Amino acid sequence: MTSSSNLILQHYIKLTEFLGKALGPDYEVALHDLTRKDRSIIAIANNYISGREVGAPLTNMSLSILRDKSYEHTDYHLHYYSINVNGKDLRSSTFFIKDSGELIGLLCINFDDSRFHEVSDTILRLVHPDDFVHRHYFPDDAPAKQPAAPQHAAAQPAEHFQSDMNGLMEDLFATVTRDAGVPLRRLTQAERAEIVARLYEQGMFELRGAVQFTVHKLACSQASIYRYIKKVK
């Protein structure tokens, strides 16, 4: 990292602290240094929302952004779906920090609105007697009302937060192989190649040690993994 890039990120450390206090306890603010993907978080406010600490790695969403290079034609990514450490839905946004056009960091805000849903439900119960709510919102001949799916849940995978590099790689690998249909030890060469291609698209191989991790998981040689990656490229 250049000295100017380091200076830019140093300014954002104070901004991270400020935003965490200004926005309040339902907003986590995390600052990532992209020169150290395996321990990218260099500042975090209200970290109980995701359970991460300084030194935690990038997320699956951040790696995807690095792979698709969406930061080249926009300055931020707004209101996408993520899941916190307790399985609660969050609404997240990311600002791309650049130095002369080069992406050097990410400033991420994760909003946990569950407390506000609880407040709105309480107000509804106070304003309307239970029988009114039942008759108007839960008629006997209609199925029980289900919570609406997050807006971006169907459009793209949810962002998951991990506290260490191994957890991140395990999560990426589990997501990609969830629909494999057969035990990993019985995969064909073509199926292994497809898994590696999907891992590549998820940004897995941006991470240090990802090749060795995949070799162990797929029970194949390092040369095979590099051959599959070369084919994707």
Side-chain angles (χ1 to χ4, degrees), residues 31-219:
L31 176 63
H32 293 269
D33 176 352
L34 293 181
T35 66
R36 32 193 284 181
K37 300 181 183 69
D38 57 338
R39 48 190 179 90
S40 63
I41 291 184
I42 58 174
I44 188 167
N46 303 329
N47 66 316
Y48 45 80
I49 290 178
S50 72
R52 296 173 298 172
E53 303 281 352
V54 168
L58 289 170
T59 66
N60 58 322
M61 183 66 70
S62 300
L63 289 172
S64 179
I65 288 170
L66 293 178
R67 283 294 315 137
D68 65 25
K69 298 186 183 299
S70 56
Y71 58 85
E72 292 182 348
H73 52 79
T74 186
D75 293 319
Y76 44 77
H77 183 18
L78 294 174
H79 305 315
Y80 55 87
Y81 172 52
S82 56
I83 302 174
N84 81 348
V85 66
N86 297 317
K88 290 182 178 178
D89 296 337
L90 305 177
R91 186 168 73 246
S92 300
S93 297
T94 293
F95 180 79
F96 303 138
I97 304 171
K98 304 174 186 179
D99 182 13
S100 301
E102 178 187 359
L103 186 67
I104 61 170
L106 303 171
L107 183 65
C108 305
I109 299 177
N110 305 305
F111 175 43
D112 178 3
D113 64 356
S114 59
R115 194 158 59 95
F116 299 94
H117 284 298
E118 293 169 4
V119 170
S120 67
D121 289 344
T122 299
I123 292 173
L124 183 62
R125 285 194 296 269
L126 288 172
V127 172
H128 302 295
D130 288 342
D131 62 341
F132 179 94
V133 174
H134 180 78
R135 283 187 287 107
H136 288 78
Y137 293 89
F138 303 99
D140 292 336
D141 57 350
K145 185 178 180 181
Q146 299 295 325
Q151 181 179 356
H152 294 272
Q156 60 189 22
E159 180 175 37
H160 293 167
F161 304 110
Q162 299 294 335
S163 297
D164 56 63
M165 179 62 72
N166 189 68
L168 174 58
M169 290 193 290
E170 288 282 2
D171 183 62
L172 287 168
F173 190 83
T175 299
V176 164
T177 59
R178 188 170 293 128
D179 301 323
V182 296
L184 296 182
R185 65 181 181 275
R186 291 170 50 192
L187 292 172
T188 65
Q189 182 176 345
E191 288 168 335
R192 287 192 180 93
E194 175 62 22
I195 287 173
V196 170
R198 292 176 64 189
L199 289 171
Y200 180 85
E201 293 303 322
Q202 291 295 318
M204 175 77 151
F205 299 106
E206 299 281 342
L207 303 174
R208 183 182 305 171
V211 170
Q212 287 301 326
F213 177 90
T214 309
V215 164
H216 173 72
K217 287 290 189 179
L218 294 181

